[in-house]
Short mmCIF file of all heavy atoms in Angstrom, two decimals:
data_model
loop_
_atom_site.label_atom_id
_atom_site.label_comp_id
_atom_site.label_asym_id
_atom_site.label_seq_id
_atom_site.Cartn_x
_atom_site.Cartn_y
_atom_site.Cartn_z
N TYR A 11 34.80 28.83 67.84
CA TYR A 11 36.09 28.70 67.15
C TYR A 11 36.69 27.30 67.19
O TYR A 11 37.78 27.10 66.69
CB TYR A 11 37.08 29.69 67.75
CG TYR A 11 37.34 29.47 69.21
CD1 TYR A 11 38.38 28.65 69.64
CD2 TYR A 11 36.54 30.07 70.18
CE1 TYR A 11 38.61 28.45 70.99
CE2 TYR A 11 36.76 29.85 71.53
CZ TYR A 11 37.80 29.05 71.92
OH TYR A 11 38.03 28.82 73.25
N PRO A 22 49.09 17.28 56.19
CA PRO A 22 49.62 18.49 56.84
C PRO A 22 49.17 18.62 58.31
O PRO A 22 49.95 19.07 59.15
CB PRO A 22 49.07 19.62 55.97
CG PRO A 22 48.98 19.00 54.61
CD PRO A 22 48.52 17.58 54.88
N GLU A 26 51.65 18.94 61.54
CA GLU A 26 51.47 20.00 62.53
C GLU A 26 51.32 19.40 63.94
O GLU A 26 51.84 19.94 64.91
CB GLU A 26 50.23 20.83 62.16
CG GLU A 26 50.15 22.16 62.84
CD GLU A 26 48.98 23.00 62.35
OE1 GLU A 26 48.27 22.61 61.40
OE2 GLU A 26 48.76 24.05 62.98
N ILE A 34 55.22 20.56 73.20
CA ILE A 34 54.56 20.49 74.50
C ILE A 34 55.03 19.31 75.34
O ILE A 34 55.22 19.44 76.56
CB ILE A 34 53.02 20.43 74.33
CG1 ILE A 34 52.52 21.68 73.59
CG2 ILE A 34 52.30 20.24 75.66
CD1 ILE A 34 52.78 23.01 74.31
N LEU A 39 61.38 17.70 78.08
CA LEU A 39 62.11 16.56 78.65
C LEU A 39 63.39 16.25 77.87
O LEU A 39 64.03 15.23 78.10
CB LEU A 39 61.21 15.31 78.65
CG LEU A 39 59.89 15.43 79.41
CD1 LEU A 39 59.05 14.18 79.22
CD2 LEU A 39 60.13 15.73 80.87
N LEU A 48 57.41 7.44 65.03
CA LEU A 48 56.45 8.09 64.14
C LEU A 48 55.91 7.15 63.08
O LEU A 48 54.73 7.22 62.73
CB LEU A 48 57.08 9.33 63.50
CG LEU A 48 57.44 10.46 64.47
CD1 LEU A 48 58.15 11.58 63.74
CD2 LEU A 48 56.22 10.97 65.22
N CYS A 59 41.68 19.53 67.69
CA CYS A 59 40.77 20.67 67.69
C CYS A 59 41.43 21.77 66.86
O CYS A 59 42.61 22.07 67.03
CB CYS A 59 40.53 21.18 69.10
SG CYS A 59 39.37 20.18 70.05
N ASP A 61 40.90 25.79 64.91
CA ASP A 61 40.15 27.05 64.93
C ASP A 61 39.49 27.26 63.56
O ASP A 61 39.58 26.41 62.67
CB ASP A 61 41.03 28.22 65.35
CG ASP A 61 42.14 28.56 64.36
OD1 ASP A 61 42.12 28.07 63.20
OD2 ASP A 61 43.05 29.32 64.74
N LEU A 67 44.94 23.51 67.36
CA LEU A 67 45.05 24.07 68.70
C LEU A 67 45.42 23.02 69.74
O LEU A 67 46.06 23.33 70.74
CB LEU A 67 43.72 24.72 69.11
CG LEU A 67 43.13 25.74 68.14
CD1 LEU A 67 41.80 26.23 68.66
CD2 LEU A 67 44.10 26.87 67.90
N GLN A 78 37.62 -4.07 73.59
CA GLN A 78 36.84 -2.85 73.40
C GLN A 78 37.40 -1.66 74.19
O GLN A 78 36.67 -0.77 74.60
CB GLN A 78 35.37 -3.08 73.70
CG GLN A 78 34.77 -4.07 72.71
CD GLN A 78 33.41 -4.53 73.11
OE1 GLN A 78 33.21 -4.98 74.23
NE2 GLN A 78 32.46 -4.43 72.20
N LYS A 81 43.19 3.44 73.85
CA LYS A 81 44.15 4.19 74.66
C LYS A 81 44.34 5.59 74.09
O LYS A 81 44.64 5.77 72.92
CB LYS A 81 45.50 3.46 74.69
CG LYS A 81 46.53 4.13 75.57
CD LYS A 81 47.81 3.32 75.63
CE LYS A 81 48.80 3.95 76.58
NZ LYS A 81 50.05 3.17 76.65
N ALA A 86 48.17 16.94 73.68
CA ALA A 86 48.91 18.21 73.71
C ALA A 86 47.98 19.36 73.35
O ALA A 86 47.23 19.28 72.37
CB ALA A 86 50.08 18.16 72.72
N LEU A 91 46.88 28.17 75.18
CA LEU A 91 45.47 27.80 75.36
C LEU A 91 45.24 26.85 76.53
O LEU A 91 44.10 26.48 76.81
CB LEU A 91 44.94 27.17 74.07
CG LEU A 91 44.93 28.09 72.85
CD1 LEU A 91 44.54 27.32 71.60
CD2 LEU A 91 43.99 29.27 73.08
N GLY A 93 44.47 25.46 80.07
CA GLY A 93 43.64 25.99 81.16
C GLY A 93 42.43 26.79 80.69
O GLY A 93 41.75 27.41 81.49
N ALA A 103 35.31 15.18 72.97
CA ALA A 103 35.03 14.81 71.58
C ALA A 103 35.69 13.47 71.22
O ALA A 103 35.10 12.66 70.50
CB ALA A 103 35.51 15.91 70.63
N ASP A 110 31.35 6.04 69.53
CA ASP A 110 30.72 5.83 68.22
C ASP A 110 31.39 4.69 67.45
O ASP A 110 30.74 4.01 66.65
CB ASP A 110 30.78 7.11 67.38
CG ASP A 110 29.90 8.23 67.92
OD1 ASP A 110 29.05 7.96 68.81
OD2 ASP A 110 30.08 9.38 67.46
N ALA A 124 49.11 15.93 85.37
CA ALA A 124 47.83 15.99 84.65
C ALA A 124 46.71 15.25 85.36
O ALA A 124 45.56 15.29 84.92
CB ALA A 124 48.01 15.41 83.24
N PRO A 126 44.89 15.85 88.10
CA PRO A 126 43.68 16.62 88.42
C PRO A 126 42.80 16.91 87.20
O PRO A 126 41.57 16.88 87.30
CB PRO A 126 44.23 17.92 89.02
CG PRO A 126 45.58 17.54 89.55
CD PRO A 126 46.11 16.52 88.58
N GLU A 129 40.96 13.65 86.45
CA GLU A 129 39.99 13.34 87.51
C GLU A 129 38.72 14.19 87.35
O GLU A 129 37.62 13.70 87.59
CB GLU A 129 40.62 13.52 88.89
CG GLU A 129 41.61 12.42 89.21
CD GLU A 129 42.30 12.57 90.56
OE1 GLU A 129 42.44 13.71 91.06
OE2 GLU A 129 42.72 11.53 91.10
#
Side-chain angles (χ1 to χ4, degrees):
Y11 61 91
E26 197 175 354
I34 300 299
L39 302 175
L48 295 176
C59 282
D61 66 13
L67 307 178
Q78 295 169 308
K81 183 176 184 180
L91 297 173
D110 292 347
E129 287 179 334

